[in-house]
Amino acid sequence: MSRLTVCPLLTVLVLAAGCAAVPAPPAGETEADAAATAPFNELGSLDAQVLIIEFSDLQCSYCARHASQTLPELRRNYIDTGKIRYAARDLPLPMHRHAVPAAVAARCAGEQGKFWEMRQAIYLARGRLDQEPYAQMAGELGLDVERLEECRRDGRQLEKVRADAALAAAEGISSTPAFVIGRIVGEEFHGETIVGAKPYAVFAAKIDSLLGEPR
């Protein structure tokens, strides 16, 4: 684990783990509205007091291992039971030339409600991402392929991928997978960073210790 991160809660929910300036909410939307709406790349109860923020590279084999071996157990025992909230953020590494397009494609699928499904499909297809199989994947997932391709071209989700990567850099996170895990205390998030595809037991021990703290 690395140093403690303490950030305003709204920053964490709208952006990621870094303590950067939070942009103003869209016209007609309050800060409370922004915090109360779960983005497509988050799982779990909005009321959970324990939060895990994952930074991942979709071309990373260790990230794929976490997604296939550890995350399902976390979902079953902690996320789906409402005990924790889990947020996925992007950190495409320079060594992986296809990681940025993959992250954009997953986010574009998220606009149609299939972020986690597309993410898993991309992990399974890591060896052929040079072929950009995203339209095929979208069709197999029952998505509007034309809409996904337009999203991939228009740059909106690309900017969000870059913002996630910048926030990871601000926290000193440079490898994947990495996780900021901690408690929401009042209007702040207090978390520590875990780096690497750790076994489920490592996460469970940390989560249990956080859940056992007095509120």
Side-chain angles (χ1 to χ4, degrees):
M1 293 186 185
S2 71
R3 61 190 175 84
L4 181 71
T5 294
V6 181
C7 298
L9 176 57
L10 185 62
T11 303
V12 175
L13 297 181
V14 175
L15 294 175
C19 296
V22 181
E29 181 181 40
T30 67
E31 290 189 353
D33 293 332
T37 304
F40 56 69
N41 53 347
E42 294 187 11
L43 297 168
S45 172
L46 297 177
D47 297 323
Q49 296 301 299
V50 173
L51 172 66
I52 297 178
I53 302 173
E54 170 198 331
F55 287 92
S56 54
D57 173 315
L58 298 187
Q59 205 177 339
C60 161
S61 60
Y62 295 104
C63 299
R65 187 170 76 187
H66 173 82
S68 64
Q69 297 181 9
T70 305
L71 183 55
E73 285 195 81
L74 291 175
R75 290 189 72 160
R76 181 167 56 251
N77 297 324
Y78 293 104
I79 299 170
D80 292 345
T81 57
K83 294 179 179 179
I84 71 170
R85 187 170 178 179
Y86 193 97
R89 305 295 189 224
D90 294 302
L91 179 54
L93 302 176
M95 70 185 76
H96 292 152
R97 61 182 296 189
H98 307 299
V100 171
V104 170
R107 283 177 166 273
C108 289
E111 291 188 356
Q112 299 186 50
K114 294 286 186 178
F115 172 77
W116 298 96
E117 293 85 350
M118 177 64 93
R119 189 175 183 255
Q120 188 59 27
I122 290 170
Y123 277 137
L124 293 173
R126 293 190 318 283
R128 58 186 183 92
L129 295 184
D130 59 324
Q131 302 171 28
E132 297 206 342
Y134 308 117
Q136 177 186 345
M137 292 176 178
E140 291 170 352
L141 291 172
L143 302 180
D144 181 329
V145 176
E146 184 177 343
R147 178 181 167 190
L148 181 126
E149 291 296 287
E150 174 59 28
C151 173
R152 291 182 60 219
R153 291 190 295 267
D154 68 24
R156 290 178 294 108
Q157 294 299 339
L158 175 59
E159 289 305 310
K160 294 179 181 180
V161 171
R162 289 172 173 165
D164 278 358
L167 288 163
E171 284 301 314
I173 297 172
S174 59
S175 60
T176 58
F179 309 86
V180 184
I181 176 171
R183 281 180 60 84
I184 296 169
V185 181
E187 295 302 317
E188 292 184 332
F189 172 59
H190 296 241
E192 293 181 76
T193 304
I194 299 174
V195 179
K198 305 298 184 185
Y200 167 78
V202 172
F203 290 92
K206 180 62 178 174
I207 293 168
D208 288 343
S209 70
L210 291 168
L211 291 173
E213 292 179 2
R215 301 195 175 194

